Amino acid sequence: MRTKRWLIAVLITGAGIGSAMGLTSHAATTTDPQGFISSLKGPVKTVANQYKLYPSVMMAQAALESAWGTSQLTVQANNYFGIKGSYNGQSVAMQTAEYDANGQLYYTNANFRKYPSAKASMTDNAKLLRNGTDYNPTIYSGTWRENAATYADAANALTNTYATAPTYGASLISIIKQYNLATLDAASAASSSSSSAASSSSSAPAVVYATATYHGATGNQSAHLSSRYTSYRLYNHVKGTRADVTKTAWSKVKPYVGQTVYLDMRGVKQDPQTGKKTTWYRIRFSTSKSAKKYWVYTKALTLPTVKYTAGKATVKLSTTATGNYYDHVYNSPYLAKAQGKLSDLTAKSYAADNQAVKTQDGIQTTWYRIKVGDQKVWVAAATQKVSPDYDYAVYTAASGTKKLGKSYAKYHPYNHVKKTHFDQVTLKWPKKAKVGTKVTINQKAVKPAYRTTWYRIQFSGDKTNYWVDAKALQ
């Protein structure tokens, strides 16, 4: 089993402790990251895809845990992950540094598994991540591709589970980015047991799979099966992104047009030849998280519609607001992932730069995108007691003509009465505007709180409406 600590098999002998923990080691200077990646690319992709894990994370872990293959445990036993015990009766004894419950470093001797090959080490580690421990079979479930939207999610899921170091996931992500290991996730590796005829054929073209970027979602966001759903298929993965994609017949799930389905992930697939992007969703036919999951093309679904409007407003949150704020409008076609709790937003007001009106099953809801620190997030208006801080105005019909006053240029024309609408913009006076120019009035507004009067005007031969303060007219 694997000990929960900073790094398993941080060995005193050899380069392990020097490479893994950043200490000086002569052996570490022989590290060849690109050679390491090249030599392990085959077994890593084969095993990771077989167990539905991220190859990039497996490669980064192998690099970090084995000090790029230079640790004595790796050199002597093909043990890339520091798993203790014996493998088919084979083991090696080595001194290792560990941390106690108080974070104090101590040294002890331990037996570590000895593998016949790198692939055997990869497979053993993959089984550990899939099967967990006796006390918690799902302890590593955050690394499974069906649960982790991105390799970063999978890497971070190893923090405080596989290793207690708070920076463990960040270290893996850093390695993945530095050596562009995410390319390993783009295609499923061919099995090492492929037929010799296929592997020896120099004329057979290599299979190039599409890449997909995945975005996780919070809660039971929903859609309906569209009238065209039978034109598409159910898959266990996004179609065309790997070798082991299988189809499921609709008849097995007994669907019907308009049936509600629940979404927990969105995938954006990019064709390797054309670069064309298509959107896919992972769906369930019940709210249960353990329900069978399928991937479908977006046109198989009827999704809520959202109209976005750029603008400007000050948004106030009720002190009793509950629930979450999100990276997208909840239950929009983008899907949304919670970024925090509304109760944690303690400022009196927030600046909003976008408004969204979502229509779902005939019901409209309004959302605002606000800035929280350096992050832009979405909050619901009605359900979370969010209100934009607009001025109140009373509108009445009006007619007649007026002229631009001597000081008209001091005032700006707007598309709405100032500070009354989210999508308010400042307009420019037309070229024909000058002192004494006659304009036609078609509406009047009064802002009681400020006792100001506004008129909506038009210029001759121009159908554009301009709202102006009454002081701009005579």
Side-chain angles (χ1 to χ4, degrees):
M1 70 180 286
R2 192 188 198 289
T3 303
K4 184 181 179 185
R5 57 188 177 80
W6 163 240
L7 287 177
I8 230 34
V10 177
L11 304 178
I12 301 306
T13 56
I17 193 167
S19 299
M21 299 187 69
L23 304 178
T24 302
S25 169
H26 294 298
T29 61
T30 65
T31 299
D32 176 14
Q34 294 300 338
F36 179 90
I37 294 167
S38 179
S39 65
L40 291 185
K41 182 166 61 174
V44 163
K45 291 205 297 182
T46 297
V47 173
N49 284 302
Q50 179 184 354
Y51 287 89
K52 296 180 175 60
L53 303 169
Y54 280 91
S56 59
V57 176
M58 181 175 287
M59 182 72 81
Q61 261 202 294
L64 186 61
E65 298 280 2
S66 73
W68 293 100
T70 64
S71 75
Q72 290 302 307
L73 180 60
T74 302
V75 172
Q76 294 182 23
N78 279 317
N79 191 326
Y80 286 83
F81 301 94
I83 299 179
K84 288 183 175 180
S86 64
Y87 181 83
N88 294 336
Q90 299 296 307
S91 65
V92 293
M94 290 190 178
Q95 190 177 41
T96 178
E98 300 195 14
Y99 289 87
D100 61 21
N102 296 319
Q104 298 298 311
L105 182 70
Y106 69 95
Y107 304 106
T108 185
N109 291 320
N111 288 329
F112 294 88
R113 298 183 184 183
K114 183 177 182 179
Y115 299 101
S117 65
K119 185 178 179 182
S121 179
M122 305 298 160
T123 302
D124 204 29
N125 191 61
K127 288 180 178 179
L128 172 65
L129 297 182
R130 269 289 162 183
N131 300 326
T133 62
D134 291 338
Y135 63 87
N136 188 350
T138 61
I139 188 172
Y140 305 123
S141 61
T143 67
W144 303 349
R145 290 190 79 143
E146 63 266 32
N147 295 334
T150 65
Y151 72 73
D153 290 339
N156 286 325
L158 291 167
T159 302
N160 292 324
T161 54
Y162 196 93
T164 55
T167 58
Y168 189 73
S171 297
L172 297 177
I173 293 170
S174 178
I175 292 173
I176 292 170
K177 289 182 177 179
Q178 182 176 357
Y179 296 100
N180 198 24
L181 300 182
T183 57
L184 300 176
D185 301 333
S188 174
S191 171
S192 60
S193 61
S194 298
S195 67
S196 58
S199 62
S200 62
S201 173
S202 60
S203 61
V207 177
V208 179
Y209 296 102
T211 58
T213 304
Y214 298 93
H215 306 273
T218 298
N220 287 312
Q221 299 178 57
S222 62
H224 301 290
L225 293 183
S226 72
S227 60
R228 301 176 56 192
Y229 81 87
T230 54
S231 299
Y232 306 95
R233 298 290 182 269
L234 296 168
Y235 299 92
N236 64 331
H237 297 293
V238 175
K239 182 182 178 183
T241 58
R242 59 189 69 191
D244 57 346
V245 176
T246 58
K247 292 185 288 187
T248 297
W250 285 104
S251 58
K252 290 186 177 295
V253 296
K254 299 179 180 179
Y256 54 88
V257 173
Q259 181 176 359
T260 300
V261 295
Y262 302 93
L263 321 174
D264 67 359
M265 194 176 292
R266 175 173 62 94
V268 179
K269 183 178 79 170
Q270 184 170 15
D271 187 280
Q273 304 298 328
T274 65
K276 180 182 178 181
K277 293 183 178 181
T278 53
T279 302
W280 295 69
Y281 293 92
R282 193 170 69 177
I283 68 172
R284 308 186 308 277
F285 288 89
S286 80
T287 56
S288 172
K289 297 296 184 182
S290 61
K292 182 76 173 178
K293 299 177 177 67
Y294 305 93
W295 283 96
V296 295
Y297 181 48
T298 182
K299 290 185 179 180
L301 304 174
T302 298
L303 295 154
T305 59
V306 184
K307 181 180 179 181
Y308 296 92
T309 304
K312 185 177 180 181
T314 299
V315 171
K316 294 181 178 180
L317 276 68
S318 168
T319 56
T320 61
T322 60
N324 300 313
Y325 54 89
Y326 301 90
D327 58 348
H328 293 292
V329 173
Y330 189 84
N331 222 134
S332 70
Y334 287 111
L335 299 187
K337 194 170 185 178
Q339 303 298 297
K341 294 182 178 179
L342 285 169
S343 57
D344 295 334
L345 300 182
T346 57
K348 293 182 179 180
S349 60
Y350 294 87
D353 68 352
N354 217 301
Q355 180 189 69
V357 177
K358 181 183 72 175
T359 303
Q360 183 175 12
D361 300 332
I363 299 174
Q364 287 191 339
T365 56
T366 302
W367 291 70
Y368 292 95
R369 189 173 71 178
I370 64 174
K371 190 172 184 180
V372 177
D374 294 331
Q375 187 180 22
K376 290 184 177 181
V377 298
W378 287 92
V379 293
T383 59
Q384 307 303 348
K385 302 178 182 179
V386 173
S387 60
D389 189 15
Y390 297 137
D391 290 344
Y392 174 68
V394 178
Y395 297 87
T396 57
S399 60
T401 61
K402 285 183 177 291
K403 295 180 180 180
L404 295 184
K406 293 181 180 180
S407 58
Y408 84 92
K410 292 173 53 180
Y411 302 91
H412 293 294
Y414 301 93
N415 62 329
H416 296 292
V417 175
K418 187 177 181 181
K419 294 185 177 180
T420 60
H421 285 70
F422 184 81
D423 59 340
Q424 174 197 300
V425 293
T426 302
L427 304 177
K428 292 183 178 181
W429 289 107
K431 292 181 178 181
K432 64 179 70 178
K434 60 182 180 180
V435 175
T437 300
K438 184 183 293 186
V439 295
T440 301
I441 295 171
N442 57 35
Q443 196 167 10
K444 178 181 178 181
V446 175
K447 296 170 72 172
Y450 303 96
R451 297 182 180 180
T452 57
T453 301
W454 291 71
Y455 289 101
R456 192 172 70 181
I457 64 173
Q458 288 184 343
F459 289 84
S460 177
D462 184 356
K463 293 184 179 181
T464 303
N465 287 309
Y466 301 87
W467 277 101
V468 297
D469 191 308
K471 294 177 182 179
L473 305 174
Q474 64 180 20

